[in-house]
Amino acid sequence: MPRHTMVMDGDWRQEVRAEVVERVLAAMADACGMPEPSPAWWVTFRVIDKGSWGSRGGVLSVLSLLESGVFTEEKAEAVRAALGA
């Protein structure tokens, strides 16, 4: 079950990338009701340029998604709290 994680350019040191990948795999396992990720799963971590795929020419922010209905209100509040927004 491959997954692609695409992020805007930033301070993505190897240890930060590894933590993101571990969290993505853990979330996938949780969503599948599994205690841990399958060793057959992998995540491709890609840094994309500002204005490229998915951003429609502008920078996307998770904050703009909080009011879109993508997140439950509980999750949106948790994101706001974590970001101090």
Side-chain angles (χ1 to χ4, degrees), residues 6 20-21 30 35 47-48 51 53-54 57 72:
M6 294 185 221
V20 170
V21 169
D30 185 52
V47 176
I48 60 174
W53 179 86
T72 64

Side-chain angles (χ1 to χ4, degrees), residues 7 9 16 35 45 52:
V7 297
D9 195 13
V16 175
F45 189 100
S52 63

